[in-house]
Amino acid sequence: MKKKLLSLILGTAMIAGSLTGCGLAGQNSQSTDNSSQNTEQTQGTQQQESAAESDGKVELEFFNCKVEGEAVFNKVIEKFQEENPNIVVKQTAPADAETVLFTRISTGDVPDVMSVYPAETAYHTMMDDGVYTDLSNEEWLHRASDKALQFSSWNGKYYAMPFALNSFGIYCNDAMFEEAGLEFPTTWDELMEVCEAFQANGITPFTFVDKDPGNLVQEAERLIGIVKNDIYKDCEEVGTGDASFTSEDKPYFRQMAEAILKTREYAGDTLSFGVEQATSDFANGKYPMYVSITAKYAVISQNNPDLKFTLIPYPNPVSDVQSLPINVDIAYGVSSKTPHQEEAKKFIEFLSRPEIYQMVADEEGTPPVIEGVNYNIEPLKMIKETIDNGNTFLTMVNFWPSGWRSEWSVYVQQLISDKNIDTLLTETDRICKEKYTAQ
């Protein structure tokens, strides 16, 4: 494995360790426990593979970072094995899946079929280093929409089959809005009016996941893109020159920070809320609004299957021009080293059939990009329609250098605590210069 990829993996591990003091100590402990479990799972998988091969069967490991969809993917695997009795597919979906996957790839323990985020810088590094099989000539690749394929291309090739696009917005409790006589906000001013109306009725408008820097930085990253869709160009300019986000001609991060702090005025002690509590509180009607990504749909529904809710686009805090952040959220590739190339591709082809992926779309919920798959998730239909209309942009994690967002998350969380925007801007400048210089 090349030095650049090893450096990327080590950097990811170091950043994860640096977040221990930011409310992640318990999660890191859990990750350690999971690492032991993963070792045991790998050993068990190797034993099962030997047994499978002795029976004349091929065993594939399917490493899935979409842990929320583990159950429905097991159903897909069951159907695949009915059609292909000579292939055994074992799904691996651990907690902290991406860190586990990166670590395994860095040591050469690469799963046969695995999650890929094909628009992101870290995965481009692995594509360049030959981790994945080139799928460009596979006919079934074009079951995905042209836009999804455009986002998934790297250097004119395709190393992953895209299945769904993730997005972001504000989850709204339908009943609480109806009882208050309020419409869903479409502009920033309307959002502020909604907050004032709920607060006047003794209802805290928002819950946020500020205890977990990883979740908080997702909001900040998407919001800065809403403020300026191509902010990555400014980041590169600051990183490689004398420009600064403290200057009046680059007000974007300040505008983002002001918006984040303004919404926190309509919430409680958000630094005390982890993702499980915030999701549960929203699902059980404690708060009318919850800022999160489309992937939280399944978790909210599991918490309260009877809840009627809608995910709306997050209003632009500085303009009435609205755009939607998206990312290629579900995509799978094949290890270039697997001896079971034909079988691995056969599994992805099977998953890409519209009648098969319909199962995933109906249960997991992330807006699909497979042609012929109907989208039946009522709470997310507004987001899906916005995606289909095309007024979207790729989230900044796809453009920032590796480690940029992870390091920045520490200072975004600090902003919630000390409300010092100038410190955030200074640290954003520093991170830009360090990360772009290191490329």
Side-chain angles (χ1 to χ4, degrees), residues 218-281:
Q218 277 190 325
E219 176 187 348
E221 176 220 350
R222 284 152 175 78
L223 184 52
I224 188 60
I226 291 171
V227 169
K228 191 172 191 287
N229 293 173
D230 60 352
I231 189 67
Y232 61 89
K233 295 180 180 178
D234 298 271
C235 291
E236 185 172 3
E237 184 180 342
V238 169
T240 57
D242 296 328
S244 170
F245 287 116
T246 63
S247 303
E248 290 184 2
D249 65 336
K250 290 192 182 299
Y252 317 114
F253 278 89
R254 180 177 297 278
Q255 291 167 335
M256 176 219 69
E258 289 172 347
I260 285 178
L261 292 179
K262 185 62 179 179
T263 56
R264 269 59 182 183
E265 294 177 11
Y266 299 101
D269 179 14
T270 60
L271 286 169
S272 298
F273 292 176
V275 62
E276 290 184 4
Q277 180 182 342
T279 305
S280 176
D281 285 346

Side-chain angles (χ1 to χ4, degrees), residues 118 144-153 158 162-165 328 369-370:
S145 69
D146 290 343
K147 176 165 247 182
L149 289 174
Q150 175 189 341
F151 291 151
S152 302
S153 173
Y158 300 101
F163 289 90
L165 297 177
V328 182
V369 298
I370 303 299

Side-chain angles (χ1 to χ4, degrees), residues 121-134:
T121 304
Y123 291 86
H124 293 166
T125 299
M126 292 188 281
M127 291 170 188
D128 290 341
D129 281 351
V131 172
Y132 307 110
T133 296
D134 181 5

Side-chain angles (χ1 to χ4, degrees), residues 3 28 156:
K3 183 182 292 185
N28 288 337

Side-chain angles (χ1 to χ4, degrees), residues 133-146 148-149 152-153 156-163 332-333 348-349 352 369-371:
T133 296
D134 181 5
L135 303 176
S136 301
N137 294 325
E138 302 299 330
E139 291 184 6
W140 41 261
L141 195 71
H142 297 281
R143 292 174 183 167
S145 69
D146 290 343
L149 289 174
S152 302
S153 173
K157 296 181 179 180
Y158 300 101
Y159 296 93
M161 171 68 183
F163 289 90
Y332 298 107
I348 295 180
E349 183 279 324
S352 71
V369 298
I370 303 299
E371 302 290 352

Side-chain angles (χ1 to χ4, degrees), residues 49-71:
E49 185 172 354
S50 298
E53 289 177 351
S54 68
D55 290 338
K57 296 182 178 181
V58 169
E59 177 156 327
L60 298 175
E61 181 186 7
F62 169 46
F63 193 104
N64 191 8
C65 288
K66 296 307 296 179
V67 296
E68 305 93 341
E70 182 178 6

Side-chain angles (χ1 to χ4, degrees), residues 5-6 27 42 48 138 145 167 225 277 279 288 313 335 351 396 423:
L5 178 56
L6 285 171
Q27 292 183 25
T42 300
Q48 292 167 351
E138 302 299 330
S145 69
S167 191
Q277 180 182 342
T279 305
S335 167
L351 181 59
M396 294 306 107
T423 296

